[in-house]
C-alpha cells in the first residue's frame, strides 16, 4: 500500500466526452484517475489524440467535465460556481504549447504578463510593473523587453514570456501543455531547465503534458501513459524507463533513443503498428488490442483495470493478471 501522501491534485474517474452528431460521442478522456503530490511533476504522455491535453484543459476548467471529480488542494473544483472558478485560476495556470499563437500580437509584453493581475485586481499599475520586471528577470529576460511586442522575440523567448504570464498571480499549480513541442530541439532543454529551476524556487506543482519521452523523463518525478482516453500505466519516472510493464509503454519507449546505458541494454525494440483507433468508436475490451502483439481472447471482451503492480506502480493489462496466476 502507498504511504500517506500529501496530494495536491486528485483526479478521480475523470471523463470528458464531446457530442459529435447523431448518437455518437467522442470519448476524449474516459475514466482517468491519478494524483499529483505537492511539489512534484507528473508527466502525462501518449500519442497525439490520446486525451492528455483534454485532461489538462478539463482540470483547468477550459472544458466542463462530463463525469468524475477534480480535487485541487482539498477543494472539489467541479462543483464550484463561476465566481469561485475565477478565484481558482489564481491557484492554477497553464503554459500553452504554441508560444506564437498564445500571445496577443497587439499587446506589449508588459501588458501580456500583467493581464492576470488586472483580471484579479491585484495591485496598482506601479506595483504591477514592478512585478512584471521581477518576472522578466526570473525567466531570463530583462525589463527592457517589457515594452516590446511578441513578434520581436524568438520562439524560446516567447515561451519564457508565456511562463512569466503564468507565474504573475503566484499560482501553486501549473499545467504545462506541450510547452516545448513547438520549439527547436536546442531550445527545448533550456525551457525545461528553466521550469525545473522555477519549480524549486517557487515550490510549484506541475502537470507536464508532452509526447517527447526523453524530455518528460528529465522533468518528471512520476509519469502517466495515456492511450485512447485512458491511463494505461503510472509509475515513477525511473521505474517507467527501467521496468515498465504495459506493451504500449514498451512500444513508446523502444521508439526513442535513451541516453541511459542501463536502460538501453535491457530495451527490446517493439514496433508500434497501425494508427490510433478513433475515440468515437474505440475497440471493445482493451483499447490497445488492435495494435498489441500479445493480444489474448480476454482482451477483446474485458477492459483491463488499472491495478497496483508494485510500489508506486499501476498498470492496466491482462498479461499482469496472467503472470500473477503463474501463466506464461
Ligand atoms: Fe495487450 Fe491484452 Fe494487455 Fe491490452 S490487455 S495491452 S491487448 S495484452
Amino acid at each position: 500500500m502507498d504511504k500517506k501522501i500529501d496530494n495536491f491534485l486528485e483526479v478521480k474517474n475523470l471523463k470528458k466526452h464531446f457530442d459529435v452528431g447523431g448518437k455518437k460521442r467522442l470519448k476524449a478522456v474516459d475514466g482517468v484517475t491519478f494524483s499529483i503530490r505537492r511539489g512534484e511533476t507528473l508527466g502525462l504522455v501518449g500519442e497525439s489524440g490520446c486525451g492528455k491535453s483534454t485532461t489538462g484543459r478539463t482540470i483547468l476548467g477550459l472544458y466542463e467535465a462530463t463525469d468524475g471529480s477534480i480535487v485541487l488542494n482539498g477543494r472539489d473544483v467541479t462543483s464550484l460556481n463561476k465566481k469561485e472558478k475565477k478565484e481558482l485560476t489564481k491557484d492554477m495556470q497553464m503554459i500553452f504549447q504554441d508560444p506564437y499563437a498564445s500571445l496577443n500580437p497587439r499587446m506589449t509584453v508588459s501588458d501580456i504578463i500583467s493581464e492576470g493581475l488586472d483580471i484579479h485586481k491585484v495591485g496598482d499599475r506601479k506595483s504591477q510593473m514592478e512585478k512584471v520586471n521581477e518576472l522578466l528577470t526570473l525567466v531570463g529576460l530583462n525589463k527592457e523587453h517589457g515594452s516590446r511586442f511578441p513578434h520581436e522575440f524568438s520562439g524560446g523567448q516567447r515561451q519564457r514570456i508565456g511562463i512569466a504570464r503564468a507565474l504573475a498571480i503566484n499560482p501553486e499549480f501549473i499545467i504545462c501543455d506541450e510547452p516545448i513541442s513547438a520549439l527547436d530541439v536546442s531550445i527545448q532543454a533550456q525551457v525545461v531547465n528553466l521550469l525545473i529551476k522555477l519549480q524549486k524556487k517557487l515550490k510549484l506543482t506541475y502537470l507536464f503534458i508532452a509526447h517527447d519521452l526523453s524530455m518528460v523523463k528529465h522533468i518528471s518525478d512520476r509519469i502517466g501513459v495515456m492511450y485512447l482516453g485512458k491511463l494505461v500505466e503510472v509509475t515513477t519516472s525511473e521505474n517507467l524507463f527501467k521496468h515498465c510493464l504495459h506493451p504500449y509503454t514498451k512500444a513508446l519507449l523502444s521508439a526513442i533513443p535513451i541516453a541511459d546505458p542501463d536502460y538501453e541494454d535491457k530495451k527490446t525494440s517493439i514496433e508500434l503498428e497501425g494508427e490510433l483507433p478513433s475515440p468515437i468508436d474505440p475497440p471493445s475490451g482493451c483499447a490497445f488490442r488492435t495494435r498489441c502483439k500479445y493480444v489474448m481472447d480476454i482482451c477483446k471482451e474485458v477492459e483491463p483495470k488499472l491495478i497496483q503492480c508494485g510500489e508506486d506502480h499501476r498498470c492496466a493489462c491482462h498479461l499482469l493478471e496472467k503472470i500473477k496466476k503463474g501463466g506464461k
Side-chain angles (χ1 to χ4, degrees):
M1 261 194 27
D2 283 342
K3 293 173 220 110
K4 180 98 178 88
I5 286 159
D6 181 15
N7 286 330
F8 188 73
L9 177 76
E10 288 184 351
V11 172
K12 283 200 184 121
N13 195 29
L14 184 68
K15 294 184 183 175
K16 179 59 201 170
H17 298 175
F18 296 95
D19 284 325
V20 287
K23 287 185 181 160
K24 291 195 184 275
R25 307 204 86 197
L26 187 152
K27 297 177 180 176
V29 180
D30 198 27
V32 163
T33 297
F34 65 86
S35 57
I36 308 182
R37 297 157 199 174
R38 196 176 296 274
E40 82 164 358
T41 299
L42 178 79
L44 205 53
V45 300
E47 290 163 283
S48 176
C50 71
K52 54 192 190 303
S53 284
T54 306
T55 301
R57 283 160 191 257
T58 309
I59 292 169
L60 194 71
L62 297 177
Y63 297 137
E64 196 173 329
T66 305
D67 199 4
S69 70
I70 302 163
V71 177
L72 185 86
N73 211 4
R75 276 198 304 174
D76 185 348
V77 307
T78 46
S79 60
L80 301 180
N81 62 35
K82 212 171 165 186
K83 190 167 166 242
E84 289 168 329
K85 275 188 182 154
K86 188 180 164 195
E87 274 298 299
L88 185 80
T89 57
K90 281 188 187 167
D91 294 339
M92 179 159 60
Q93 287 287 305
M94 189 173 232
I95 297 167
F96 293 92
Q97 175 180 1
D98 189 346
Y100 297 88
S102 64
L103 304 178
N104 187 332
R106 291 185 203 86
M107 287 169 76
T108 64
V109 168
S110 290
D111 288 341
I112 289 168
I113 297 174
S114 63
E115 200 177 14
L117 299 169
D118 272 341
I119 291 169
H120 291 282
K121 301 187 173 45
V122 180
D124 56 18
R125 194 63 186 157
K126 184 168 174 282
S127 68
Q128 287 182 356
M129 285 308 108
E130 282 167 6
K131 179 78 181 177
V132 167
N133 290 341
E134 186 191 309
L135 286 164
L136 284 169
T137 308
L138 194 63
V139 299
L141 297 170
N142 60 59
K143 60 182 182 183
E144 284 70 41
H145 288 133
S147 56
R148 299 192 197 164
F149 290 87
H151 73 268
E152 298 176 64
F153 294 89
S154 66
Q157 287 175 318
R158 276 186 246 210
Q159 199 52 295
R160 286 172 191 268
I161 296 165
I163 293 168
R165 174 178 60 182
L167 293 173
I169 44 174
N170 302 324
E172 291 183 74
F173 175 54
I174 297 188
I175 297 173
C176 308
D177 186 12
E178 304 232 24
I180 53 170
S181 306
L183 303 177
D184 287 348
V185 176
S186 58
I187 306 297
Q188 290 182 353
Q190 290 176 18
V191 172
V192 166
N193 287 336
L194 172 64
L195 288 168
I196 293 170
K197 191 180 102 184
L198 292 170
Q199 180 174 42
K200 285 192 187 130
K201 192 176 170 81
L202 305 173
K203 301 193 176 11
L204 299 167
T205 302
Y206 290 151
L207 175 62
F208 190 89
I209 298 165
H211 59 261
D212 181 338
L213 268 163
S214 48
M215 211 49 90
V216 170
K217 184 191 183 200
H218 187 53
I219 192 170
S220 304
D221 299 289
R222 292 185 302 128
I223 297 175
V225 180
M226 281 190 77
Y227 187 80
L228 220 60
K230 295 176 191 292
L231 261 182
V232 297
E233 188 158 15
V234 193
T235 188
T236 61
S237 182
E238 191 183 354
N239 206 29
L240 190 96
F241 278 77
K242 291 189 176 161
H243 308 292
C244 73
L245 294 169
H246 199 282
Y248 179 58
T249 311
K250 288 183 181 176
L252 282 184
L253 287 176
S254 75
I256 53 162
I258 307 284
D260 180 340
D262 281 357
Y263 174 70
E264 276 293 336
D265 285 351
K266 287 176 198 154
K267 126 176 160 180
T268 42
S269 187
I270 302 170
E271 291 279 312
L272 193 54
E273 287 172 1
E275 297 290 314
L276 192 70
S278 166
I280 299 172
D281 190 18
S284 61
C286 173
F288 187 57
R289 72 172 169 82
T290 53
R291 301 166 85 189
C292 179
K293 69 175 187 175
Y294 304 104
V295 64
M296 305 170 282
D297 288 345
I298 188 175
C299 307
K300 293 175 190 150
E301 310 289 337
V302 182
E303 185 187 327
K305 300 234 175 319
L306 197 64
I307 57 168
Q308 199 79 31
C309 50
E311 193 180 352
D312 220 341
H313 195 168
R314 290 184 300 147
C315 183
C317 173
H318 291 306
L319 278 174
L320 297 175
E321 289 151 42
K322 202 175 164 189
I323 291 165
K324 271 188 181 169
K325 284 179 195 156
K328 293 189 176 162

